[in-house]
Amino acid sequence: MSRYNVDAVWDDPFEHPVNRRVAPRYDSKIKLSIMVEDEDRKNRLIGPGIARNISSTGILLRTKHQLKPGQRVMVSIPTSQIQSEAVLPESFVGNATVVRVEAEDGSIMKAALRFGEALLQNFEFSMYMNQLTNLAITRAS
């Protein structure tokens, strides 16, 4: 007979929590541009994506690009969807890494991207994300 309850639920403090998000998400339908390197043809493919949600650290989007986890892409996020007293650039451009992908409908992919340092450390982008969050709170009220 074992001294241990082998059927007990294991609570490992080193396992990832259920919600791994480190930044609040803003639900959106922002149309953005994605650029990926096509290794087969040795050229760049640029196309649209639609953000489903965005945070200061990453974005979940729908696209026709056939992305793969670990792939690096360039994203261009326009700022025209918000009215701001601060002067923002027309768009924020930076690298992102594909974290996960999932086929959605036919040729449409749902992809989670984590922003690279250019966006993560951009003060203006941080201000933009705060304004999006405030906009979401105002709309919910």
Side-chain angles (χ1 to χ4, degrees):
M1 180 162 175
S2 175
R3 295 182 2 197
Y4 301 102
N5 180 357
V6 293
D7 296 323
V9 176
W10 175 253
D11 183 22
D12 187 345
F14 298 104
E15 287 183 8
H16 293 291
V18 174
N19 184 359
R20 295 179 294 181
R21 294 179 176 165
V22 295
R25 298 282 193 243
Y26 166 72
D27 289 332
S28 68
K29 295 218 185 248
I30 300 169
K31 186 174 181 181
L32 53 107
S33 294
I34 307 165
M35 188 276 299
V36 298
E37 297 286 337
D38 183 351
E39 295 177 12
D40 296 337
R41 297 185 189 137
K42 304 289 185 216
N43 62 0
R44 295 180 179 152
L45 301 174
I46 300 173
I50 305 290
R52 295 187 62 170
N53 66 50
I54 186 170
S55 77
S56 60
T57 59
I59 190 167
L60 179 65
L61 57 87
R62 297 177 73 219
T63 184
K64 288 187 176 183
H65 284 296
Q66 298 300 308
L67 303 174
K68 298 175 221 153
Q71 184 176 14
R72 295 193 38 98
V73 300
M74 182 76 70
V75 294
S76 176
I77 304 166
T79 60
S80 59
Q81 70 278 0
I82 63 169
Q83 300 296 322
S84 173
E85 293 176 11
V87 178
L88 295 173
E90 270 187 46
S91 63
F92 289 102
V93 178
N95 288 324
T97 303
V98 178
V99 177
R100 70 178 188 280
V101 294
E102 178 182 320
E104 201 167 75
D105 296 329
S107 63
I108 305 293
M109 302 290 289
K110 183 167 63 171
L113 309 179
R114 175 158 173 69
F115 296 136
E117 294 300 314
L119 291 175
L120 291 174
Q121 296 183 359
N122 185 322
F123 180 71
E124 289 178 319
F125 184 67
S126 179
M127 286 178 21
Y128 167 75
M129 289 309 306
N130 285 337
Q131 291 174 345
L132 283 179
T133 303
N134 291 339
L135 181 62
I137 292 169
T138 304
R139 288 181 180 166
S141 305

